Amino acid sequence: MNTTRFPDIRLDERTDSNPAVRAFGRRFYKDQTPLEYLAEFLLCFSSEKQSDAGEIGKGLPDLPEGHFGGLKYLPESRLAVKLFSFFPTSKLETRHSTHVDRFSGLIKDLKSNIESDSRENSEKAVRVLQQLFSGFVGVAGERTWVTHSFIPASDFLLAREIDWRHTAAKAKNVETWEKAEQHFSTGSHNFMARGGEVLFLQLWHVLQRAQEPQVSQWLNEQYNHVDWSAVRNHLAEGLSSSLSAIDGPISQLGSVVEYAGQQAPVINEKRSHQAFGWIHKASWREASLFAWELSNVVLSNQDALKKMRVLQNLCCLHVLRSMCCQAVRWVGRRSGEGKNHFGGGYSWITVSPSAGVGTDLGKASNASIGATEELLYGAVRAKDLPPIKDLKVAEKELRGADVHGFKLFRSLGKQIGLIVPPKGPMRFTLPASLVESLVAVLLEPGERLPFDEFLQRLYRHFGIAAGAAQIEEALSTLSAGIRPTVPNDCAAWLEDELKRGGFLIPLSDATPLVKNPAKIKT
């Protein structure tokens, strides 16, 4: 396998010693949430980039000719806006006294900056503003306020991970905001754990290769429904447009909060360059599919929040797809080739949510999950993983690799509803939310496609086998010896789900059509 990396940087013993990192790229991490895959991906896109030659711009800029070495980006932190939005509902145990004081001062300064005919109206305006921003909370849980994440619905709401070192601050008896700021850190990658970086680097890399005949030739031969020239020309613009749709009022109101944060004691934003990780260049095939799928969403006229829901599901599905495709490269399994087969080398036999593992297809789906996890288990133990000098991997490290290998696949699959149930024998299925997202990503805005062709596209993009023909092929790759009779109407449940979602046009004398109701954004 080609083990060259993008960007072309050396492996680091501290960050790359885990075999899962060397197998899949730096890095996919089990604790990263679905929303934070998307938020980090968009943060990478929207931030200024830097190469060894200097600043190269935002978005998906062309790299300098002959570029060699690492790449960096300059993310925003939005520390003042996070304090304003999330502190009142944050975890009590980590509300340090300096945070309490600075929050009170921020509220006071905001009230004094608002022109109003009464104190009550000023207080009401601040409450409304706070409710607005806190309403965009994406991930909170048991975390302290600074580690909360916004829904990435606009450019202004994109912010890097910041951690608060509460224990260290208490040990040093920190009593002022100026001293407290020393205990905010940006390098932990606990939540923005670099999975979004991997997705962005895959996209950036394949678009750097966009003019190469290998990419367009492969797509023309295998995926002739993909308009690669349109992807190259319009994807970056579509992503920027999606992030700017509601950004005007959000950024204007946010600047009011940040202005108040500049009054003493100043809330200093944590702006510093963050080094990108790396990906395997061999991922360009699935990355080109990811690029086309992204373009179908961002170039549509769907509202901003709906786009984010679809993009979140797409990012998670691509994480799972990317892991499986990369694992196949290490382990060496393969499936059929050609226009009617899926070249990814794996398959997910997908059944109705009501099909238990006691049914024949339920057993096949369960075996499919087992085969996928076995594939990922083998990938982190592949003997030709890129080596780190003098590094010897013990069994303990391999168990740690499984946490970010097949266990990550299982966990993320359950979070998005691809794998059910939460406990007990598992199987692949597609809930309504994923069906809606798959229509949005696999059909261009306004496109109509016969149902059987939709089943084939579903299989050839993600390895999701739901129709009889696709399940038959998937069964041939399983080593478990399970060969159930596959009924021709085994995808009737998916047809019903499409109908309930308003994505199906019944035809009395022909195969029904699947439609993407969105239109091209004008």
Side-chain angles (χ1 to χ4, degrees), residues 95-112:
R95 290 190 192 180
H96 194 270
S97 59
T98 58
H99 302 180
V100 175
D101 293 341
R102 190 63 193 91
F103 174 76
S104 299
L106 181 63
I107 297 298
K108 180 180 178 182
D109 292 334
L110 273 168
K111 290 177 181 177
S112 65

Side-chain angles (χ1 to χ4, degrees), residues 188-225:
S188 298
H189 300 292
N190 290 321
F191 310 115
M192 297 282 197
R194 286 191 151 161
E197 278 187 23
V198 171
L199 302 189
F200 177 78
L201 287 173
Q202 287 185 353
L203 183 66
W204 198 9
H205 170 245
V206 76
L207 291 177
Q208 295 300 308
R209 300 184 56 176
Q211 302 292 346
E212 295 181 13
Q214 183 183 20
V215 179
S216 57
Q217 182 179 343
W218 180 75
L219 286 169
N220 286 336
E221 291 176 355
Q222 303 291 328
Y223 296 88
N224 56 17
H225 57 277

Side-chain angles (χ1 to χ4, degrees), residues 350-357 359 362 365 417-421 425 427-433 435 490-497 500:
T350 307
V351 296
S352 165
S354 61
V357 291
T359 64
S365 185
L418 178 68
I419 297 175
V420 295
R427 60 194 182 278
F428 290 113
T429 192
L430 294 175
S433 59
V435 171
C490 61
W493 65 272
L494 181 55
E495 190 173 337
D496 291 340
E497 191 61 62
R500 280 192 292 270

Side-chain angles (χ1 to χ4, degrees), residues 323-344:
M323 291 179 69
C324 290
C325 286
Q326 196 63 34
V328 167
R329 296 184 186 109
W330 293 120
V331 175
R333 300 182 184 181
R334 68 176 187 84
S335 64
E337 298 292 339
K339 290 186 177 182
N340 295 320
H341 298 277
F342 175 52

Side-chain angles (χ1 to χ4, degrees), residues 78-88 98-114 122 126-127 129-130 133 145 177 253-269:
R78 305 297 181 209
L79 188 59
V81 180
K82 283 189 172 184
L83 178 64
F84 173 69
S85 307
F86 302 141
F87 181 79
T98 58
H99 302 180
V100 175
D101 293 341
R102 190 63 193 91
F103 174 76
S104 299
L106 181 63
I107 297 298
K108 180 180 178 182
D109 292 334
L110 273 168
K111 290 177 181 177
S112 65
N113 290 342
I114 293 174
S122 294
V126 171
R127 283 198 305 273
L129 188 60
Q130 195 169 48
F133 280 103
W145 61 272
W177 177 258
L253 293 170
S255 67
V256 174
V257 179
E258 293 188 329
Y259 176 79
Q262 292 305 298
Q263 299 179 52
V266 175
I267 300 176
N268 292 298
E269 298 295 337

Side-chain angles (χ1 to χ4, degrees), residues 268-286:
N268 292 298
E269 298 295 337
K270 302 295 181 182
R271 293 198 83 219
S272 59
H273 281 96
Q274 166 67 51
F276 277 109
W278 56 267
I279 59 159
H280 292 289
K281 288 184 178 180
S283 63
W284 66 264
R285 289 176 177 82
E286 58 266 29

Side-chain angles (χ1 to χ4, degrees), residues 69-190:
L71 296 166
K72 299 178 180 179
Y73 62 108
L74 187 61
E76 298 287 350
S77 65
R78 305 297 181 209
L79 188 59
V81 180
K82 283 189 172 184
L83 178 64
F84 173 69
S85 307
F86 302 141
F87 181 79
T89 57
S90 66
K91 196 175 180 180
L92 289 172
E93 304 91 278
T94 55
R95 290 190 192 180
H96 194 270
S97 59
T98 58
H99 302 180
V100 175
D101 293 341
R102 190 63 193 91
F103 174 76
S104 299
L106 181 63
I107 297 298
K108 180 180 178 182
D109 292 334
L110 273 168
K111 290 177 181 177
S112 65
N113 290 342
I114 293 174
E115 295 182 5
S116 175
D117 55 5
S118 69
R119 176 181 174 183
E120 289 75 15
N121 284 340
S122 294
E123 291 176 347
K124 182 179 179 181
V126 171
R127 283 198 305 273
V128 170
L129 188 60
Q130 195 169 48
Q131 289 167 358
L132 171 69
F133 280 103
S134 64
F136 281 101
V137 62
V139 180
E142 295 298 310
R143 305 179 190 174
T144 191
W145 61 272
V146 76
T147 59
H148 292 191
S149 293
F150 286 108
I151 296 171
S154 88
D155 201 40
F156 185 84
L157 296 175
L158 300 173
R160 74 189 308 169
E161 174 187 320
I162 305 176
D163 291 302
W164 165 245
R165 304 301 184 190
H166 189 70
T167 303
K170 286 184 69 176
K172 292 192 175 183
N173 295 316
V174 169
E175 296 180 351
T176 66
W177 177 258
E178 292 86 345
K179 293 285 182 67
E181 285 197 316
Q182 300 171 17
H183 296 278
F184 290 111
S185 66
T186 59
S188 298
H189 300 292
N190 290 321

